């Protein structure tokens, strides 16, 4: 992912709003990107504006050093830099699925690692879904590596980011209701299944290789 710093530009979706249909609907994508992500991006810039010493800091640096930031902006940075960072992983972690019904399966190094750690892809999916259903309130569920390069399923609340806790992100699902309520209503399980149909396995593979290199 390209590193950027202040002023942060609104992340450009790498596909059209309707490209993930029928799994993720057009209106949800449009609102989620143009309103929710835009609000986090604008707010992050306005919080950073009076702090020129932070204008060369990347999202990663901000999120890895929250406790070194001026006290009065820590919460805003945590929520808004996190909001930008997490949504970029979420949006870039999906892509149109031309097969519609068949779910993509990671191969290469990440695929092998998942098979070693979770036995097989279906087991991984079942475990990930189980954890995603248990997330209470708003947050994200992630596939990450820990400092030793081991895979882990990790939940973060609100807009907290795994890098603030020393984990390296591979893939994430946004479990805030704004990510699915218009189409799936309260059926989070159906949303999770649909998300699995549009995951971007190349993006996940790339992230995994960065995490372990
Ligand atoms: Mn969201």
């Amino acid at each position: 992912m390209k590193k950027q710093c202040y002023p942060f530009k609104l992340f450009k979706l790498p596909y059209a709003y309707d490209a993930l249909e029928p799994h993720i609907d057009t209106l949800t994508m449009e609102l989620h990107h143009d309103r929710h992500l835009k609000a986090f991006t604008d707010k992050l810039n306005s919080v950073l504006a009076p702090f020129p010493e932070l204008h060369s800091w990347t999202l990663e640096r901000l999120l890895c050093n929250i406790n070194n930031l001026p006290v009065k902006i820590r919460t805003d940075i945590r929520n808004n830099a996190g909001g930008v960072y997490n949504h970029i992983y979420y949006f870039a972690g999906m892509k149109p699925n031309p097969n519609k019904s068949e779910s993509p399966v990671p191969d290469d190094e990440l695929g092998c690692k998942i098979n070693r750690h979770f036995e097989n892809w279906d087991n991984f999916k079942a475990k990930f879904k189980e954890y995603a259903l248990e997330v209470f309130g708003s947050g994200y569920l992630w596939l990450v590596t820990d400092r030793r390069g081991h895979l882990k399923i990790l939940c973060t609340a609100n807009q907290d980011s795994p890098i603030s806790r020393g984990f390296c992100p591979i893939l994430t699902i946004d479990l805030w209701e704004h990510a699915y309520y218009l189409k799936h209503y309260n059926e989070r399980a159906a949303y999770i299944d649909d998300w699995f149909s549009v995951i971007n396995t190349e993006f996940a593979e790339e992230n995994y290789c960065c995490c372990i290199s």
Side-chain angles (χ1 to χ4, degrees), residues 32 36-37 40 83 87 90-91 140 159 174-176 178-179:
H32 201 170
H36 291 273
L37 177 54
F40 286 118
H87 280 104
Y90 172 67
F91 288 134
Y140 293 74
Q159 294 295 347
D174 186 338
L175 295 169
W176 286 59
H178 66 233

Side-chain angles (χ1 to χ4, degrees), residues 21 31 139 170 177 199 206 211:
E21 292 270 8
L31 296 173
I170 298 171
E177 280 183 344
I199 56 168
E206 236 171 75
C211 289

Side-chain angles (χ1 to χ4, degrees), residues 116-188:
R116 279 206 300 277
H117 195 98
F118 297 96
E119 280 176 50
N120 56 52
W121 178 243
D122 284 338
N123 264 357
F124 164 74
K125 274 172 66 176
K127 184 135 271 186
F128 195 90
K129 183 173 176 179
E130 184 190 319
Y131 288 179
L133 287 171
E134 282 171 8
V135 172
F136 185 75
S138 297
Y140 293 74
L141 195 70
W142 302 76
L143 176 64
V144 298
T145 60
D146 64 17
R147 287 193 174 92
R148 293 170 303 166
H150 293 165
L151 292 181
K152 189 177 161 60
I153 296 173
L154 181 82
C155 171
T156 54
N158 304 315
Q159 294 295 347
D160 291 354
S161 287
I163 48 167
S164 305
R165 287 159 58 186
F167 295 101
C168 183
I170 298 171
L171 201 62
T172 191
I173 182 169
D174 186 338
L175 295 169
W176 286 59
E177 280 183 344
H178 66 233
Y180 62 91
Y181 203 84
L182 290 181
K183 173 180 164 71
H184 299 90
Y185 305 114
N186 61 332
E187 301 293 338
R188 188 187 279 183

